[in-house]
Amino acid sequence: MSSRSPCPTPADWRESNRANWDERVPLHTAGSYYGLDGFRAGKDPLRAFELAEVGDVTGKSLLHLQCHLGTDTLSWARHGAARVVGLDFSEPAVAVARGLAADLGLGPERAEFVTSDVYDAACALPDSTYEIV
Ligand SMILES: C[S@@+](CC[C@H](N)C(=O)[O-])C[C@H]1O[C@@H](n2cnc3c(N)ncnc32)[C@H](O)[C@@H]1O
C-alpha cells in the first residue's frame, strides 16, 4: 500500500490557510467571542486548565506560537510574565495584537508580536530562548 495521501494537497495550501485567518480577523475583532472591549477592561480569557498546566509565570519569559489576536499572550503578561512574545503568520492578527498591547500600556520590551510562519520561528523570533513556550 502506498504511504502517499489519496487527497491531493493544493500547491497554495499555506497561502490559502493564511488568507482564511486574515479574513477572520475583522470578524473576531468585532464579535463577542474574543470580546476585546471586555479584554481591555480586564477580562481574563485563560481557562482554568491553562493556568493550572502552565503554572506560575511570574517573572518569566513566555513565547506563544500562533497567538492570533494576542489576547492569551497578553493575559500571561497580566499574570506576571516579565516578557511575552506572540508569533502568528497573519499580519492583520499581529496588528490587532500590537494595538491591544499598546491599549494595555505594555511596550515591546514587555509584549512583542512577530509576523512569521511558525515553521520559520527559529529565525524570526527576537530571543533565542524562552522559559515557557
Ligand atoms: C485558533 S487560532 C489560535 C487562537 C489562540 N490560541 C487564542 O486562543 O487566541 C490559530 C492561529 O494560528 C495561526 N496560524 C495558522 N497556521 C500558522 C502558521 N503556519 N504559522 C503561523 N501562524 C499560523 C492563525 O493565523 C491563527 O491566528
Side-chain angles (χ1 to χ4, degrees):
M1 198 169 100
S2 166
S3 61
R4 287 178 60 91
S5 166
C7 301
T9 305
D12 67 344
W13 65 271
R14 201 175 297 197
E15 183 55 29
S16 298
N17 186 30
R18 195 187 56 73
N20 179 276
W21 280 108
D22 285 356
E23 268 182 48
R24 296 181 194 213
V25 170
L27 303 173
H28 292 176
T29 303
S32 59
Y33 183 77
Y34 282 89
L36 296 190
D37 287 340
F39 175 75
R40 286 187 190 89
K43 191 161 187 290
D44 185 359
L46 296 174
R47 300 164 184 88
F49 79 88
E50 294 171 311
L51 295 167
E53 286 189 12
V54 176
D56 185 11
V57 299
T58 305
K60 299 204 167 153
S61 60
L62 181 146
L63 168 64
H64 183 191
L65 297 169
Q66 301 189 215
C67 65
H68 198 44
L69 307 183
T71 47
D72 287 5
T73 322
L74 293 166
S75 296
W76 293 114
R78 278 176 165 165
H79 278 272
R83 172 164 168 76
V84 296
V85 173
L87 175 147
D88 202 284
F89 72 172
S90 169
E91 181 64 52
V94 167
V96 172
R98 288 177 180 148
L100 285 173
D103 292 343
L104 269 50
L106 299 174
E109 72 294 342
R110 186 83 196 286
E112 188 169 348
F113 290 93
V114 175
T115 306
S116 170
D117 195 298
V118 72
Y119 296 110
D120 299 324
C123 297
L125 290 169
D127 315 304
S128 55
T129 62
Y130 296 87
E131 290 166 287
I132 302 169
V133 179

